[in-house]
């Protein structure tokens, strides 16, 4: 299905020169003590809502109230190939930028466009106390905050206050995300990170979700100037809910298909209900009120995750 590209990719060329020593990385220093807070856009080159938010923020001339604020456009090489006529093509060049975040991989001998960029951004990521990584999704789906497996991430997501749905998960088997890197994934560290999925890549609303999440994140970390935050932040749409991922459903055959159309975050009411068919084998809900997290509806590759399942927790 072709999805309309409602957003316009911003011209980020003016941000190439930065004064930080690294292209497309801007460090705003308040001159006052405080945490280093980092916001990352374009971790995937075709997820443009984050770039729009950073472009708008930098264009306002906004400054952090304390500490240092690092604003980075990550996979600029892939973004440089973004073409509204073929918007699926520019997620990455050689490999997924968001699966290389371990010391072993970053220090290792392997080379790729994304590894080079990750190595350039690594000192900024390592020096940051708080990180927000702004993403969007291929399929139309409600926005969701991915907070990782730790209690500190869950608390952080509730403190930020949007989006409504929070998913606690352990990441992906095929590589480590920036959100889980180093101190962010260490329960004994005070560092904390969030990954927001703002909705479908190119839908108008994802731009608004990115902007609201950015401002609330900056307010929560103390980086936002209170007057600007007051002006920019809209009321939240309602109370948040936490979904804790319990397992991934892997497609074991090319004939994997869902039992009906799921767009994500639907609740399958009863244990045993059929969620999907893998060849002629039913895939059943393992417990009551099973939540479907980011299903991949079309042509999921054999051996890859078709959907993750989670339990809703109230708190
Ligand atoms: Zn992404």
């Amino acid at each position: 299905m072709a999805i309309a590209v409602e957003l316009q990719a911003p011209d980020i060329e003016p941000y190439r020169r930065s004064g930080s020593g690294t292209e497309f990385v801007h460090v705003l220093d308040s001159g006052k003590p405080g945490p280093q807070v980092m916001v990352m856009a374009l971790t995937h080159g075709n997820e443009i809502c984050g770039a729009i938010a950073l472009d708008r923020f930098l264009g306002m001339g906004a400054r952090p109230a304390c500490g240092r604020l690092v604003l980075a456009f990550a996979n600029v090489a892939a973004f440089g190939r973004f073409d509204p006529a073929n918007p699926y093509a520019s997620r990455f060049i050689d490999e997924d930028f968001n699966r290389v975040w371990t010391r072993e991989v970053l220090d290792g001998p392997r080379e790729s466009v994304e590894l080079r960029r990750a190595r350039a951004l690594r000192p900024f990521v390592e020096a940051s106390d708080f990180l927000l990584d702004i993403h969007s999704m291929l399929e139309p789906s409600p926005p969701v905050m991915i907070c990782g497996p730790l209690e500190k991430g869950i608390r952080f997501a509730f403190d930020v206050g949007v989006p409504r749905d929070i998913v606690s998960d352990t990441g992906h088997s095929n590589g480590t995300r920036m959100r889980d890197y180093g101190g962010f994934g260490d329960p004994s560290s005070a560092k904390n990170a969030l990954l927001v999925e703002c909705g479908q890549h190119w839908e108008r609303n994802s731009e608004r979700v990115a902007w609201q999440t950015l401002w609330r994140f900056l307010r929560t970390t103390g980086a936002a100037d209170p007057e600007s935050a007051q002006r920019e932040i809209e009321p939240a749409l309602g109370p948040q809910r936490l979904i804790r991922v319990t397992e991934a459903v892997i497609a074991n055959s090319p004939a994997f298909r869902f039992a009906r159309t799921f767009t994500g975050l639907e609740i399958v009411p009863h244990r045993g209900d059929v969620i999907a068919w893998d060849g002629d084998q039913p895939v059943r809900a393992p417990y009551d009120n099973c939540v479907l997290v980011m299903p991949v509806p079309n042509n999921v590759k054999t051996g890859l995750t078709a959907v993750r399942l989670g339990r809703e927790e109230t708190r």
Side-chain angles (χ1 to χ4, degrees):
M1 179 181 63
I3 291 168
V5 180
E6 298 174 347
L7 299 182
Q8 190 175 359
D11 175 17
I12 64 165
E13 196 50 40
Y15 305 120
R16 180 182 293 277
R17 292 185 47 177
S18 64
S20 72
T22 302
E23 291 187 343
F24 298 102
V25 178
H26 289 255
V27 179
L28 309 177
D29 197 334
S30 69
K32 297 180 193 142
Q36 177 163 314
V37 174
M38 185 165 190
V39 182
M40 191 82 79
L42 297 178
T43 290
H44 295 129
N46 60 351
E47 301 180 359
I48 56 183
C49 63
I52 292 171
L54 291 198
D55 176 41
R56 189 169 159 198
F57 189 90
L58 286 160
M60 285 168 68
R63 309 287 306 178
C66 67
R68 285 163 24 121
L69 175 58
V70 181
L71 304 174
F73 301 90
N75 200 339
V76 289
F79 175 71
R81 295 186 182 181
F82 183 79
D83 174 4
N86 186 18
Y88 298 95
S90 50
R91 180 174 172 84
F92 54 74
I93 303 233
D94 293 329
E95 64 178 317
D96 190 331
F97 177 88
N98 209 26
R99 298 289 182 274
V100 300
W101 289 90
T102 62
R103 293 200 168 85
E104 295 68 36
V105 174
L106 293 169
D107 288 333
R110 221 155 54 67
E111 284 294 341
S112 70
V113 167
E114 280 74 20
L115 265 170
R116 267 198 297 284
R117 185 62 176 158
R119 285 165 183 150
L121 293 182
R122 178 182 184 179
F124 299 97
V125 175
E126 287 184 344
S128 292
D129 299 291
F130 302 109
L131 170 74
L132 174 66
D133 189 17
I134 304 178
H135 289 248
S136 54
M137 296 177 275
L138 181 57
E139 302 295 335
S141 188
V144 59
M145 187 67 95
I146 311 284
C147 67
L150 301 176
E151 184 58 30
K152 68 175 183 179
I154 294 171
R155 261 186 280 123
F156 198 16
F158 276 105
D159 287 345
V160 169
V162 293
R164 172 175 171 256
D165 292 299
I166 300 168
V167 167
S168 172
D169 70 351
T170 53
H172 303 276
S173 57
N174 58 341
T176 303
R177 303 174 294 203
M178 194 164 40
R179 202 227 68 80
D180 303 310
Y181 176 63
F184 301 135
D186 176 356
S188 67
S189 166
K191 294 184 180 218
N192 221 337
L194 294 169
L195 186 165
V196 64
E197 298 280 3
C198 295
Q200 204 282 332
H201 293 326
W202 313 301
E203 76 186 354
R204 176 71 55 200
N205 191 54
S206 69
E207 178 179 334
R208 177 156 164 243
V209 173
W211 187 244
Q212 287 300 311
T213 308
L214 167 62
W215 275 100
R216 282 174 171 267
F217 170 79
L218 295 180
R219 184 170 71 177
T220 302
T221 57
D225 144 57
E227 231 172 78
S228 310
Q230 175 84 22
R231 190 178 57 239
E232 299 298 335
I233 292 173
E234 300 168 8
L237 294 173
Q240 290 171 288
R241 65 168 176 164
L242 173 66
I243 297 149
R244 202 183 288 269
V245 170
T246 59
E247 59 207 275
V249 174
I250 310 292
N252 289 313
S253 82
F256 185 97
R257 65 203 183 279
F258 285 96
R260 62 181 174 89
T261 303
F262 293 110
T263 61
L265 303 177
E266 288 95 343
I267 296 173
V268 176
H270 304 297
R271 178 167 175 254
D273 285 352
V274 175
I275 297 168
W277 293 91
D278 201 353
D280 54 10
Q281 293 297 308
V283 177
R284 296 180 184 277
Y287 39 79
D288 288 350
N289 298 320
C290 178
V291 185
L292 274 68
V293 177
M294 294 173 75
V296 180
N298 301 314
N299 307 319
V300 61
K301 291 192 180 69
T302 305
L304 293 188
T305 300
V307 64
R308 293 182 292 163
L309 307 179
R311 287 180 199 272
E312 188 175 334
E313 285 182 24
T314 47
R315 44 172 73 198

